C-alpha cells in the first residue's frame, strides 16, 4: 500500500496520458491486490451457516445482486467519484482527512503549532484559501473550535480508523493466504485437507513477514503483472462459466433480486451481509494510496480493469453455482469449485501469488499508518527503516512486523476457517469505511463549502448502507468479530495514553518556561565556562526557554560556545518543502550565541540521518546570521514576548546563500566567492562559502567565524531524561495513565529520530521529574 512509483516527483495533473496510464498500470499491483482477491472467499463466507443454496437459486441470485450493487455504490461511486477528491495535497487516507480538518479549524492534536506553519506552501490545498465562505461552514467551524469534546470525538474517530487499518493488517494476510491455499481441499479427502491447509498457510505467512526487511523494491515490478494475470484469469473463468452454465445470470443484477433474497431468508439473509461486504475489502486502499499515484490513474485502473473483472468473476461463480446444488458440504461452495479442473493447479499458484501481493500491500500500509500516527504525536516512537534509497515511502518497522506476524499466525491457527476470519475482517473493513464517511461529511461542509443538505445526503445514503453491513458484522461478535474490536481497543488505548501523556508533558513545559530576565542576569557566559563546540539542546517548545535549561546550567560545569535549542516537530501537512524546513531565530542578545532552530516535517516526510541533518542545521544557522536584519532598538520586553523566526531551507536549497564545505585538508581558494575560514588548523576543516553580495558587517562575519570554529570542534546532543509523574491530588485514573501507562510506553519507545545516529559519546542526558 505504501509503495511509491518512480514518477512520484512529477506534477500528476500536468502529466501526459502515457504517464497517467503508466501510473494506472503500477497502481494495479499496489492498490488493488487485496480487492482483486476477494472472490476467493466472498461466496464461501456468505454461505457459511446463515443461508442455504436451494434449487430455486433465489439465494445465489440475491447475493450476486448485493455484490454487484455494493461494488457499484461503495468503491465506484463513493470512493472513485467523491472521496478521492478530498485529498490532502495529493495524499489520502483517514489521517489525511483529519489533517485537512485540522487546517480548516483549530481542532488539531499537535500542541506546538505556530502561525508560521500556516504560511507553508502545502498548508493550503492546491493554493486555495482556507477561509470558510458559507454560513454553515462558519457555524460548524466555530462549534468545533469552542467545544473540546467535539475535537476529541474527531481525534478518536481518526484513531479508530487507524486502529482498524492496523487490525486489517493482521486479518487480511490471514484470510487471503488461507483462502488461496484452500484450493487444496478439492484434491484430497475432507478429513485430510484441514491438516495441510493451516501449516502451508502458516509457512507462507512466516516467509512473507520474514522478507519484509528487504523491502519490496526488488520484487515490486512483479506486483502489477501478478495482479493483472489474476484479474485476466478470474474474468476469463467468469466469462466461460457464464456462457457454459447460465447465460441468463445477468438478470440477477436487478435490485429486485435483493428484495426477493431478503424476503425469503429474512434474519439469515441479513446476517449473511457480513460475508457479502467482503467483496469491497481493500476499497479504502484507493484513497489511502492516493499519494503514490493520481486520482485519474486510480479511477482509470478501477473503472476499466478491476471493476469489470470483479463483476465477471462474481457472475461466473453465480452462474456455476446456479446449476450445481446439493454438494456434499458447504465448504465446497467457494471459488475453486467453479474453476475447470484442467487449470485448477495453475490457478491455485496464481491465487497464492495474488494473495501474497495483496497481503504485502496491506502490511506496508500498516507500517505507513503507524508512521503517520507517530508523526502526529498519536503513537510511541518506533524504529523506522527505509528499505529503498531511491523510492520514497518504502519503510519497515521491525517491532510492528513481528507483532503482526505473531497475531496473524495466531488467528490462522486459531480460527482454521474462512467463516470466522471473514467475520473479523469484515468488521475491520466496514468500520474504516464508516469513519471515512463521518469525516467526509465534515469535510464537505468545512473544506468544500457545501451546504448541510449535501453532507446529510452523503452520510444518509452511504452511512445507511455501511451501517447495515456494520450491524450484520457486529452481530457475529462471538464468531470472530471480537478480534478486530479487541485489537483496536488495545491500539486505541496505546495511542490515546501516548497522546494524552505527550500533551500533558508539553503543557508542563509551557507553564514552567524560564523568564528571559533570568537568562540576561547570567550574562553572555551564562555563569559557567563556555568551551568550543556546538551544543544541541532538544526541547519540544517552539518559543521561550525550557525549564530543563536551568537544570542544565546548575548541573553542568561547562557549556558549549554555541548553543542551539532544537525542536523537531510535525505539522499537519503531508510534506514540507526543503526550502521551508527550518525556522531559525535568536534566544537573547547576539553575544549570548543562543539560537532556536525548529525543524518542521510533514506526516509523510522522511527524517534525514544524523550527519546530513547536522550539516543542514549548521547551514541554516549560518544563512540566518548572514541574512539577519540588524535590530537597533531591541528591548527586553520584545525578547520576552516573541522571537523573530526566519524561514531557512536545507543546504541543498541555498543556491544563493551560505554553503558549507568540510574536508580533511587545505583545499584551494576560489576566485568567484569569498571564503570565511578559521585561523586555527584542525583535523577537520570547515568552510562557509558565502555570496559576494550583499556585504556582511564585521559582527556577522565574526559570528560566522565562531560558528565555524564550533563546528570544527564537534557537536554534542544534550537532552533531558524526563520522568513524568501525576501530581499530588490527581485522580486514580490519571495516576494509572501517567505513572504506569505513559511511563511504560516512554521507557520502551525510541528517542527522537535524528538522535539515533548520534554517537553515544556525543550524547548527554540530564534527568528531571515532571509533575503533571
Amino acid at each position: 500500500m505504501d509503495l511509491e512509483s518512480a514518477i512520484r516527483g512529477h506534477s500528476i495533473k500536468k502529466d501526459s496520458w502515457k504517464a497517467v496510464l503508466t501510473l494506472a498500470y503500477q497502481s494495479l499491483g499496489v492498490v488493488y491486490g487485496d480487492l482483486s482477491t476477494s472472490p476467493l472467499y466472498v461466496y464461501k463466507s456468505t454461505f457459511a451457516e446463515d443461508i442455504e443454496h436451494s434449487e430455486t437459486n433465489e439465494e445465489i441470485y440475491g447475493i450476486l445482486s448485493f455484490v454487484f450493487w455494493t461494488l457499484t455504490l461503495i468503491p465506484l461511486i463513493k470512493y472513485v467519484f467523491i472521496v478521492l477528491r478530498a485529498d490532502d495535497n495529493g495524499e489520502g487516507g483517514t489521517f489525511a482527512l483529519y489533517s485537512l480538518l485540522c487546517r480548516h479549524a483549530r481542532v488539531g492534536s499537535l500542541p506546538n503549532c505556530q502561525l508560521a506553519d500556516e504560511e507553508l506552501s502545502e498548508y493550503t490545498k492546491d493554493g486555495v484559501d482556507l477561509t470558510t465562505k458559507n454560513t454553515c461552514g462558519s457555524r460548524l467551524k466555530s462549534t468545533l473550535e469552542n467545544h473540546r469534546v467535539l475535537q476529541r470525538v474527531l481525534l478518536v474517530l481518526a484513531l479508530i480508523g487507524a486502529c482498524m487499518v492496523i487490525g486489517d493488517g493482521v486479518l487480511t494476510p490471514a484470510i487471503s493466504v488461507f483462502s488461496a491455499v484452500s484450493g487444496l481441499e478439492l484434491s484430497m479427502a475432507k478429513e485430510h485437507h484441514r491438516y495441510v491447509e493451516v501449516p502451508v498457510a502458516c509457512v507462507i505467512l512466516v516467509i512473507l513477514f520474514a522478507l519484509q526487511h528487504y523491502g519490496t523494491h526488488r520484487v515490486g515490478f512483479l506486483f502489477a503483472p501478478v495482479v493483472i494475470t489474476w484479474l485476466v484469469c478470474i474474468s476469463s473463468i467468469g466469462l466461460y462459466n457464464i456462457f457454459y452454465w447460465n447465460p441468463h445470470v445477468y438478470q440477477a443484477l436487478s435490485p429486485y433480486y435483493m428484495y426477493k433474497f431478503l424476503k425469503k431468508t429474512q434474519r439469515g439473509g441479513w446476517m449473511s451481509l457480513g460475508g457479502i461486504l467482503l467483496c469491497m475489502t481493500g476499497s479504502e486502499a484507493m484513497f489511502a494510496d492516493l499519494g503514490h499515484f493520481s486520482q485519474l490513474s486510480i479511477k482509470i485502473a478501477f473503472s476499466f480493469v478491476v471493476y469489470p473483472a470483479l463483476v465477471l468473476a462474481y457472475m461466473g461463480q453465480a452462474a456455476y453455482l446456479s446449476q450445481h446444488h446439493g454438494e456434499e458440504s458447504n465448504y465446497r461452495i467457494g471459488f475453486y469449485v467453479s474453476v475447470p479442473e484442467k487449470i485448477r493447479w495453475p490457478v491455485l499458484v496464481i491465487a497464492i501469488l495474488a494473495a501474497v501481493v495483496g497481503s504485502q500491500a496491506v502490511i506496508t500500509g500498516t507500517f505507513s499508518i503507524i508512521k503517520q500516527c507517530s508523526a502526529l504525536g498519536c503513537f510511541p516512537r518506533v524504529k523506522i527503516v527505509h528499505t529503498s534509497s531511491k523510492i520514497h515511502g518504502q519503510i519497515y518497522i521491525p517491532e510492528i512486523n513481528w507483532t503482526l506476524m505473531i497475531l496473524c499466525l495466531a488467528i490462522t491457527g486459531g480460527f482454521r476457517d474462512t467463516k470466522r476470519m471473514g467475520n473479523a475482517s469484515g468488521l475491520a473493513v466496514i468500520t474504516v469505511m464508516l469513519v471515512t464517511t463521518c469525516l467526509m461529511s465534515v469535510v464537505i461542509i468545512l473544506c468544500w463549502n457545501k451546504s448541510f443538505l449535501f453532507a446529510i445526503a452523503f452520510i444518509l445514503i452511504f452511512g445507511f448502507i455501511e451501517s447495515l453491513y456494520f450491524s450484520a458484522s457486529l452481530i457475529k461478535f462471538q464468531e470472530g468479530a471480537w478480534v478486530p474490536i479487541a485489537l483496536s481497543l488495545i491500539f486505541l488505548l496505546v495511542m490515546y495514553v501516548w497522546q494524552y501523556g505527550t500533551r500533558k508533558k508539553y503543557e508542563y513545559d509551557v507553564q514552567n518556561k524560564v523568564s528571559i530576565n533570568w537568562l540576561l542576569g547570567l550574562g553572555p557566559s551564562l555563569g559557567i565556562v563556555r568551551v568550543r563546540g556546538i551544543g544541541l539542546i532538544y526541547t519540544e517548545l517552539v518559543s521561550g526557554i525550557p525549564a530543563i535549561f536551568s537544570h542544565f546550567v546548575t548541573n553542568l560545569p561547562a557549556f558549549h560556545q554555541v548553543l542551539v535549542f532544537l525542536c523537531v516537530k510535525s505539522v499537519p501537512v503531508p510534506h514540507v518543502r526543503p526550502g521551508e524546513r527550518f525556522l531559525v531565530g535568536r534566544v537573547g542578545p547576539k553575544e549570548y550565541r543562543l539560537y532556536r532552530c525548529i525543524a518542521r516535517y510533514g506526516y509523510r516526510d522522511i527524517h534525514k540521518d544524523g550527519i546530513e541533518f547536522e550539516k543542514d542545521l549548521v547551514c541554516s544557522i549560518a544563512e540566518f546570521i548572514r541574512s539577519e536584519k540588524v535590530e537597533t532598538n531591541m528591548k527586553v520586553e520584545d525578547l520576552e514576548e516573541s522571537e523573530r523566526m526566519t524561514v531557512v531551507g536545507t543546504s541543498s536549497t541555498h543556491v544563493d546563500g551560505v554553503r558549507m564545505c568540510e574536508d580533511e585538508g587545505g583545499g584551494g581558494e576560489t576566485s568567484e566567492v569569498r571564503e570565511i575560514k578559521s585561523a586555527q588548523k584542525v583535523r577537520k576543516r570547515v568552510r562557509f562559502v558565502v555570496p559576494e553580495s550583499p556585504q556582511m558587517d564585521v559582527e556577522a562575519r565574526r559570528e560566522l567565524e565562531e560558528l565555524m570554529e564550533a563546528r570544527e570542534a564537534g557537536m554534542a546532543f544534550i537532552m533531558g531524561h524526563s520522568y513524568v509523574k501525576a501530581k499530588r491530588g490527581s485522580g486514580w485514573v490519571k495516576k494509572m495513565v501517567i505513572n504506569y501507562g505513559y511511563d511504560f510506553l516512554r521507557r520502551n519507545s525510541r528517542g527522537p529520530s535524528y538522535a539515533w545516529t548520534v554517537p553515544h559519546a556525543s550524547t548527554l542526558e540530564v534527568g528531571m521529574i515532571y509533575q503533571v
Side-chain angles (χ1 to χ4, degrees):
M1 190 186 289
D2 200 29
L3 184 65
E4 187 104 19
S5 113
I7 313 178
R8 174 69 180 89
H10 295 287
S11 176
I12 300 301
K13 295 183 178 178
K14 298 180 181 179
D15 273 342
S16 63
W17 276 104
K18 181 180 178 180
V20 171
L21 293 177
T22 301
L23 285 177
Y25 165 77
Q26 293 171 340
S27 71
L28 290 171
V30 178
V31 178
Y32 299 108
D34 186 15
L35 183 60
S36 64
T37 55
S38 58
L40 287 170
Y41 44 79
V42 169
Y43 283 118
K44 193 171 183 178
S45 299
T46 305
F47 281 102
E49 284 183 5
D50 302 315
I51 55 176
E52 294 181 358
H53 180 34
S54 66
E55 297 284 345
T56 61
N57 287 327
E58 288 183 347
E59 294 85 1
I60 192 65
Y61 287 165
I63 291 171
L64 175 60
S65 183
F66 263 106
V67 167
F68 172 76
W69 287 105
T70 300
L71 281 174
T72 303
L73 291 173
I74 304 299
L76 186 62
I77 295 179
K78 176 189 170 183
Y79 280 97
V80 171
F81 291 109
I82 301 177
V83 175
L84 284 182
R85 294 179 55 225
D87 65 299
D88 183 12
N89 288 295
E91 298 292 338
T94 304
F95 265 94
L97 289 177
Y98 181 69
S99 172
L100 204 59
L101 292 173
C102 289
R103 300 206 304 275
H104 281 78
R106 301 185 187 280
V107 296
S109 61
L110 294 172
N112 54 0
C113 292
Q114 298 170 275
L115 289 175
D117 297 337
E118 299 181 10
E119 299 175 4
L120 291 169
S121 301
E122 291 204 10
Y123 202 87
T124 57
K125 185 179 182 296
D126 299 326
V128 179
D129 185 15
L130 296 184
T131 306
T132 306
K133 299 177 181 178
N134 62 355
T135 307
C136 298
S138 299
R139 279 185 291 181
L140 179 60
K141 178 181 178 180
S142 177
T143 303
L144 289 174
E145 291 179 345
N146 294 329
H147 293 80
R148 293 290 298 274
V149 174
L150 295 179
Q151 296 175 20
R152 288 173 183 165
V153 168
L154 282 179
L155 175 62
V156 170
L157 266 179
L159 293 182
I160 289 174
C163 291
M164 285 296 179
V165 170
I166 297 171
D168 198 30
V170 174
L171 297 165
T172 293
I175 190 173
S176 296
V177 173
F178 186 84
S179 298
V181 173
S182 66
L184 297 171
E185 69 187 10
L186 298 179
S187 58
M188 57 183 67
K190 177 184 177 182
E191 60 272 12
H192 294 155
H193 77 85
R194 292 183 180 273
Y195 299 102
V196 177
E197 288 176 351
V198 175
V200 171
C202 288
V203 168
I204 293 174
L205 288 171
V206 169
I207 294 173
L208 175 64
F209 283 100
L211 295 177
Q212 288 300 310
H213 70 281
Y214 291 108
T216 57
H217 60 283
R218 292 182 178 88
V219 293
F221 66 95
L222 293 174
F223 284 3
V226 166
V227 174
I228 289 175
T229 304
W230 170 249
L231 290 172
V232 170
C233 177
I234 61 175
S235 58
S236 301
I237 294 172
L239 279 172
Y240 167 80
N241 286 329
I242 291 171
F243 287 106
Y244 188 83
W245 294 110
N246 188 354
H248 300 289
V249 73
Y250 68 89
Q251 296 176 355
L253 301 182
S254 169
Y256 174 67
Y257 283 89
M258 290 192 290
Y259 167 74
K260 290 182 66 177
F261 170 75
L262 292 176
K263 182 179 179 181
K264 180 179 179 180
T265 57
Q266 297 181 1
R267 187 176 186 275
W270 168 64
M271 293 183 66
S272 70
L273 294 179
I276 295 173
L277 74 86
L278 295 175
C279 70
M280 51 184 176
T281 301
S283 299
E284 185 74 20
M286 286 190 286
F287 185 45
D289 285 328
L290 184 58
H292 306 150
F293 304 99
S294 67
Q295 290 186 27
L296 186 57
S297 63
I298 289 178
K299 289 178 180 179
I300 289 174
F302 182 79
S303 303
F304 296 100
V305 180
V306 180
Y307 178 73
L310 289 176
V311 170
L312 288 174
Y314 287 116
M315 289 178 66
Q317 289 185 64
Y320 177 87
L321 293 174
S322 68
Q323 302 301 318
H324 294 78
H325 308 86
E327 295 285 353
E328 294 179 7
S329 175
N330 282 343
Y331 81 91
R332 288 183 174 267
I333 299 181
F335 171 76
Y336 289 104
V337 73
S338 64
V339 178
E341 191 171 352
K342 293 182 179 179
I343 62 171
R344 195 166 285 166
W345 282 103
V347 170
L348 175 65
V349 173
I350 298 171
I352 292 175
L353 291 175
V356 169
V357 170
S359 301
Q360 176 64 55
V362 174
I363 292 168
T364 51
T366 304
F367 295 157
S368 178
I369 197 71
I370 287 176
K371 179 181 180 294
Q372 293 179 32
C373 291
S374 181
L376 292 174
C378 297
F379 199 85
R381 299 187 189 98
V382 290
K383 181 181 180 181
I384 298 176
V385 179
H386 297 277
T387 58
S388 174
S389 60
K390 296 181 180 179
I391 304 178
H392 169 78
Q394 290 193 5
I395 60 174
Y396 165 68
I397 305 177
E399 299 96 328
I400 301 300
N401 181 68
W402 302 123
T403 302
L404 292 180
M405 187 191 77
I406 293 171
L407 293 173
C408 200
L409 292 176
I411 288 171
T412 304
F415 283 168
R416 295 173 176 262
D417 64 73
T418 55
K419 176 196 171 186
R420 286 181 290 180
M421 290 185 193
N423 293 339
S425 180
L427 184 61
V429 168
I430 200 62
T431 304
V432 177
M433 292 183 174
L434 268 173
V435 169
T436 300
T437 300
C438 294
L439 293 178
M440 268 299 302
S441 62
V442 183
V443 168
I444 288 172
I445 300 172
L446 204 59
C447 307
W448 291 0
N449 294 310
K450 302 294 183 181
S451 66
F452 270 114
L453 293 178
F454 192 88
I456 291 172
F458 178 85
I459 200 169
L460 282 180
I461 294 173
F462 297 109
F464 172 77
I465 297 171
E466 290 162 359
S467 297
L468 191 65
Y469 283 119
F470 179 78
S471 62
S473 294
L474 198 59
I475 201 70
K476 299 181 179 180
F477 180 83
Q478 296 181 340
E479 299 173 26
W482 60 269
V483 172
I485 296 177
L487 290 175
S488 297
L489 285 176
I490 293 172
F491 281 105
L492 184 62
L493 182 64
V494 169
M495 290 180 177
Y496 202 81
V497 166
W498 181 261
Q499 195 270 342
Y500 177 78
T502 303
R503 178 177 284 274
K504 286 296 180 182
K505 181 175 176 292
Y506 183 80
E507 290 174 356
Y508 177 90
D509 281 334
V510 171
Q511 293 168 4
N512 293 274
K513 287 192 293 187
V514 177
S515 169
I516 192 71
N517 291 321
W518 172 84
L519 181 69
L520 296 175
L522 294 177
S525 67
L526 301 180
I528 54 177
V529 179
R530 301 289 289 268
V531 297
R532 291 185 63 199
I534 298 177
L536 299 181
I537 303 173
Y538 175 71
T539 176
E540 296 286 349
L541 290 178
V542 294
S543 64
I545 303 170
I548 203 166
F549 179 67
S550 62
H551 202 58
F552 289 154
V553 171
T554 55
N555 285 274
L556 298 179
F559 244 139
H560 296 82
Q561 174 185 0
V562 174
L563 290 175
V564 181
F565 291 108
L566 175 62
C567 173
V568 178
K569 72 170 192 174
S570 295
V571 288
V573 297
H575 302 282
V576 175
R577 295 182 181 180
E580 302 171 324
R581 176 75 65 212
F582 293 103
L583 282 174
V584 184
R586 293 188 184 277
V587 179
K590 276 189 177 183
E591 58 270 19
Y592 282 58
R593 300 296 188 254
L594 263 67
Y595 306 93
R596 183 182 307 283
C597 188
I598 302 171
R600 301 179 292 183
Y601 288 90
Y603 56 81
R604 291 189 66 89
D605 276 333
I606 297 175
H607 290 221
K608 293 184 177 181
D609 59 41
I611 298 175
E612 193 173 357
F613 181 82
E614 286 179 10
K615 184 178 179 181
D616 285 343
L617 179 66
V618 175
C619 275
S620 67
I621 296 173
E623 176 62 21
F624 165 75
I625 294 171
R626 184 192 71 86
S627 59
E628 184 184 22
K629 295 180 180 179
V630 180
E631 296 288 342
T632 56
N633 297 320
M634 188 63 101
K635 299 179 181 179
V636 175
E637 291 79 8
D638 296 329
L639 293 172
E640 180 77 51
E641 301 254 340
S642 66
E643 298 167 10
R644 300 175 186 274
M645 306 294 288
T646 303
V647 178
V648 183
T650 59
S651 57
S652 60
T653 63
H654 296 168
V655 180
D656 299 323
V658 175
R659 288 176 292 131
M660 187 174 72
C661 303
E662 294 181 328
D663 53 45
E664 302 296 331
E669 301 279 342
T670 72
S671 57
E672 297 180 0
V673 295
R674 293 181 292 110
E675 300 175 1
I676 299 176
K677 296 178 286 186
S678 173
Q680 184 179 359
K681 291 185 178 180
V682 292
R683 184 174 59 185
K684 189 171 189 179
R685 186 168 178 233
V686 178
R687 297 175 295 159
F688 286 133
V689 183
V690 300
E692 289 286 351
S693 60
Q695 292 290 330
M696 287 191 302
D697 57 32
V698 177
E699 192 171 343
R701 187 183 185 89
R702 186 185 305 115
E703 192 172 357
L704 276 178
E705 288 177 355
E706 290 185 19
L707 179 63
M708 185 167 45
E709 291 174 357
R711 178 67 180 114
E712 286 177 347
M715 302 181 72
F717 186 78
I718 307 168
M719 62 187 302
H721 195 79
S722 56
Y723 297 89
V724 182
K725 300 291 182 182
K727 59 186 176 182
R728 293 181 179 179
S730 302
W732 67 269
V733 175
K734 182 177 180 180
K735 288 182 178 179
M736 289 288 293
V737 170
I738 297 295
N739 295 351
Y740 298 99
Y742 180 73
D743 185 65
F744 173 80
L745 294 175
R746 184 192 57 79
R747 290 175 182 272
N748 291 276
S749 64
R750 296 267 172 167
S753 59
Y754 49 86
W756 299 342
T757 54
V758 176
H760 292 292
S762 302
T763 305
L764 176 64
E765 290 189 82
V766 178
M768 185 174 180
I769 297 178
Y770 282 52
Q771 295 283 345
V772 299

